[in-house]
Amino acid sequence: MAESRSVKFLGLLRALLRHRVDFLVVGGVAAQLEGAPILTLDLDVLYDKAPENLGRLLAALRELNACYRDPAGRHIEPDLAKLETLRLHLLRTDLGALDVLGEIGNGQTYQDLVDRTVSYELGEVRVRVLELAAVIETKEQANREKDRAVLLVLRQTLRMKTQVLADLLLGQKEDGK
Amino acid sequence: MRQPSQPSDIPEPPFPPAESPDGVDLTLIQWTLSLTPLERLELLQDWVDGLAELRDGRVAER
């Protein structure tokens, strides 16, 4: 399959799920799924580094013809050793840019964050997504210019989302009187 | 004799602010919060596809 000019989010998620990869959706797509109007051109996932999961992840990446986005233009494919040791894998695939991360923020892993997720059903696909408050925290920890640029929108979205939920709960309480 | 007030005399209720004090567009956030997660992902996909079309100099027929 030819490399996609734009990322196909659902296609990438389906491929990972087909291979039973344990992962969390993080970054811009997580923020968007949580309601923040953030534009991103790749899918970021945080993967579980358990040995059995690395094999499943590698199989999914092979199906997607993944290779590193190498500025020098070399063709370098991910392998088990790289998935085990490197923190960051910026890949191009048949379905667009996929960033596969072993850690985010200040070194937080899948195990650290799996309890701070929301499960979303996206058509036939069910994925775990990092909750907005945790997305904000990891971007604050990373503290890069590009992260700081979106923090205003993320924090405002969290405030409004919290208010919407509070109003809903209040409405339910008053209806129950 | 005093005429009854015309509708135009009634002060309009103030619009809720469209921007936060730090310039964040609140209407966009309200809009995305009103969507389902799947609709949010489809919206993102539309943006990305639209950008790719612009980059390629193509205009999609809608």
Side-chain angles (χ1 to χ4, degrees), chain A residues 5-7 9 32-33 35, chain B residues 32 37 40 45 48-49 55-56:
Chain A
R5 293 282 292 152
S6 63
V7 59
F9 297 109
Q32 173 78 10
L33 283 169
Chain B
T32 47
R40 290 171 193 160
Q45 188 69 66
V48 169
D49 291 345
R55 199 173 49 198
D56 292 346

Side-chain angles (χ1 to χ4, degrees), chain A residues 43-135:
Chain A
L43 174 67
D44 294 349
V45 298
L46 178 66
Y47 62 95
D48 185 358
K49 282 190 153 183
E52 64 275 14
N53 195 51
L54 296 185
R56 296 194 292 258
L57 175 58
L58 186 60
L61 295 178
R62 284 186 174 149
E63 182 190 303
L64 291 164
N65 289 319
C67 66
Y68 287 87
R69 302 200 296 271
D70 178 39
R74 294 167 297 180
H75 183 87
I76 305 170
E77 293 180 7
D79 57 35
L80 279 179
K82 291 190 191 80
L83 291 176
E84 201 175 348
T85 52
L86 299 179
R87 178 175 177 267
L88 187 69
H89 311 267
L90 308 182
L91 306 171
R92 69 175 84 250
T93 77
D94 287 346
L95 299 180
L98 172 65
D99 293 353
V100 177
L101 312 168
E103 295 173 6
I104 57 171
N106 59 1
Q108 292 191 289
T109 65
Y110 174 95
Q111 300 298 343
D112 295 328
L113 293 169
V114 68
D115 291 333
R116 300 199 60 194
T117 57
V118 192
S119 182
Y120 280 131
E121 220 171 276
L122 307 168
E124 81 286 14
V125 165
R126 179 174 279 276
V127 288
R128 282 176 184 266
V129 177
L130 193 63
E131 65 181 19
L132 186 55
V135 174

